[in-house]
Amino acid sequence: MYIQIVGGRIYTPTGWIDGGSVLVEGKKIKAILNTDLPIEGARQLDARGSYIIPGGIEMHVHGAAGADYMDGTLEAFRTASDYHLQQGTTTIFPTLSTSSYETIMKGIECTEVLMKDDESTVEGLHLEGPYFSVKMAGAQLPELIRPARPEEYTKIMERGDGVIKRWDAAPEIEGALDFGSYIRERGVVVALAHTEANDKHVRAAWEHGYTLGTHFYNAMKVAHKVGVYKEPGAVETILDMPDFDIEVICDGIHVPPVMVHLAYAVKGRERMALTTDALLYTGTVNFKDPTGHAIVEDGVCKLSDRSALAGSIATMDLLIRTAVQKANIPLIDAIYMCSYTPARIMGIQDTKGALEAGHDADILFLDEDLQLRFVMHRGRTVRGEEYWA
């Protein structure tokens, strides 16, 4: 049976369709139509004036609802991913912070299981670390940061082949350039993060497979003086490199809105993705970190000593609202940076990230205030059952 979604403004990358409909068959989008006339045999779903947009794609997220992906259990993976699904993330790449070898192995195992589960939103694993600059550790555990040694990363890739989809490192540290070349050859997105890299390091990284700036602006250097001369940091260099992708934490706290807009003005929607970098505190009330590592204060996660931000408690719908309402980014581009751009970066744009025939039926409704009202994942309604009434 077909589902025909009508009564809303349908998002396309080139503009909005009014008076049209989205035709869903099973788990896939069958067609985007320029008419809302009833289709024989289709059950109509009235969006009631909502914006009809593609599901969000989250490529950097650590947990939610008290569950951390580093817990290394299927229960934690499902709890966090299901919470983010309710907030509009229909595709997710669980993230492990700097971890032990054993924790990485557990993460690979859980991700592998869920990638085979048709109702799961998990599409692969993201490793944030452990090959970073200790000086730029931020919320990463410094005692676990280490050089990029082939005897470790080749073994991890051997087990994680086809599961690990993205891996972040600081290109200036020992072994990191060879590491980048190695994992890029195996189809992994290589990202620059928690780094002291300067212009020279960033350009060398590009030559060795690094194509993405992790939580851009955060945990990377800006222009600074070396002696009497100014030296560009990773921020300026990446902005200067037109094909270097970036992701920005768009919670309105990690990066001031004016800086979000600046990155957008330089990179455009094609090269800039929005991300939450959300931690296990997301979606909780008065949740206490059992390790005492971080606290939630002023709407963001901080290290317990308040020396640095540790991550966000943002959700996919908040990214869109912040981009539009605070950073003055057009809605059509904010949606693009939460859907198509991350899909393209992660290599899943043939089935995800757009409302197009043949794509998965991952569909959201936003009301006029950009509040999330409805979530469909692969043709299954997971939020907004009232729209069927």
Side-chain angles (χ1 to χ4, degrees):
M1 183 182 73
Y2 292 129
I3 296 171
Q4 185 184 14
I5 302 174
V6 300
R9 301 196 74 196
I10 301 169
Y11 170 88
T12 74
T14 57
W16 297 94
I17 297 176
D18 293 307
S21 57
V22 180
L23 193 62
V24 174
E25 182 181 26
K27 300 170 185 176
K28 296 287 186 177
I29 295 172
K30 179 71 173 178
I32 305 298
L33 306 173
N34 288 317
T35 178
D36 59 2
L37 293 175
I39 301 294
E40 185 177 354
R43 183 184 180 190
Q44 282 204 340
L45 175 62
D46 187 356
R48 305 176 190 174
S50 300
Y51 296 109
I52 303 169
I53 70 171
I57 296 175
E58 180 54 88
M59 57 182 189
H60 187 165
V61 57
H62 297 274
D68 192 316
Y69 292 120
M70 287 179 67
D71 293 344
T73 67
L74 283 172
E75 180 183 7
F77 270 64
R78 287 190 172 111
T79 296
S81 300
D82 288 349
Y83 177 82
H84 283 290
L85 174 59
Q86 290 290 324
Q87 314 309 316
T89 297
T90 55
T91 301
I92 202 164
F93 292 86
T95 301
L96 302 185
S97 299
T98 291
S99 306
S100 66
Y101 176 84
E102 292 73 21
T103 298
I104 293 172
M105 288 297 108
K106 290 178 181 177
I108 291 171
E109 291 171 9
C110 291
T111 303
E112 189 172 49
V113 170
L114 293 176
M115 288 174 71
K116 298 173 183 176
D117 182 348
D118 201 48
E119 291 191 359
S120 170
T121 58
V122 173
E123 287 287 325
L125 186 64
H126 167 211
L127 299 180
E128 187 184 10
Y131 312 133
F132 287 148
S133 163
V134 173
K135 292 182 180 179
M136 301 297 280
Q140 305 287 319
L141 296 175
E143 63 269 23
L144 292 177
I145 291 175
R146 49 200 185 267
R149 295 199 168 102
E151 56 265 30
E152 180 179 55
Y153 64 71
T154 57
K155 192 175 179 181
I156 291 172
M157 276 307 305
E158 182 178 340
R159 174 64 185 86
D161 186 39
V163 177
I164 299 170
K165 300 296 186 179
R166 169 182 165 184
W167 202 337
D168 304 359
E172 76 279 8
I173 72 163
E174 178 187 341
L177 294 182
D178 288 342
F179 159 80
S181 297
Y182 178 84
I183 65 168
R184 186 63 180 176
E185 288 175 359
R186 283 149 185 82
V188 177
V189 175
V190 194
L192 176 152
H194 293 275
T195 177
E196 293 187 278
N198 59 21
D199 179 89
K200 178 181 176 181
H201 296 133
V202 174
R203 296 185 190 278
W206 175 261
E207 295 300 322
H208 286 80
Y210 289 74
T211 57
L212 174 64
T214 298
H215 46 49
F216 188 69
Y217 290 120
N218 296 105
M220 60 180 64
K221 284 192 169 183
V222 296
H224 53 282
K225 288 185 73 173
V226 177
V228 298
Y229 301 104
K230 287 185 174 63
E231 179 176 86
V235 168
E236 293 82 10
T237 305
I238 290 172
L239 288 175
D240 184 58
M241 299 173 70
D243 294 331
F244 212 115
D245 294 317
I246 63 173
E247 63 171 21
V248 176
I249 303 174
C250 195
D251 62 350
I253 301 171
H254 273 78
V255 181
V258 67
M259 293 172 66
V260 174
H261 189 90
L262 173 62
Y264 162 75
V266 175
K267 285 294 185 180
R269 70 180 192 174
E270 298 292 344
R271 293 294 175 184
M272 175 170 155
L274 303 183
T275 189
T276 63
D277 193 7
L279 299 187
L280 75 164
Y281 313 95
T282 308
T284 66
V285 178
N286 299 323
F287 179 80
K288 302 296 183 183
D289 184 350
T291 68
H293 182 59
I295 60 173
V296 177
E297 186 177 74
D298 304 322
V300 72
C301 298
K302 303 176 184 177
L303 294 184
S304 295
D305 63 3
R306 296 176 174 81
S307 62
L309 297 180
S312 88
I313 54 173
T315 52
M316 184 61 62
D317 53 334
L318 178 67
L319 300 182
I320 295 174
R321 288 196 299 276
T322 302
V324 174
Q325 297 170 358
K326 295 184 178 180
N328 297 315
I329 293 173
L331 176 59
I332 197 167
D333 289 348
I335 295 168
Y336 194 92
M337 293 189 290
C338 288
S339 53
Y340 184 81
T341 301
R344 192 264 307 160
I345 290 172
M346 299 306 293
I348 56 172
Q349 69 271 28
D350 289 342
T351 57
K352 301 283 188 179
L355 300 182
E356 293 182 2
H359 279 53
D360 287 351
D362 297 341
I363 300 168
L364 312 179
F365 296 172
L366 301 180
D367 67 17
E368 61 182 5
D369 297 318
L370 305 184
Q371 297 289 333
L372 182 66
R373 298 302 180 191
F374 176 90
V375 179
M376 175 180 284
H377 175 239
R378 291 178 178 160
R380 177 174 61 98
T381 299
V382 296
R383 174 173 175 172
E385 287 287 349
E386 65 272 15
Y387 279 84
W388 289 106

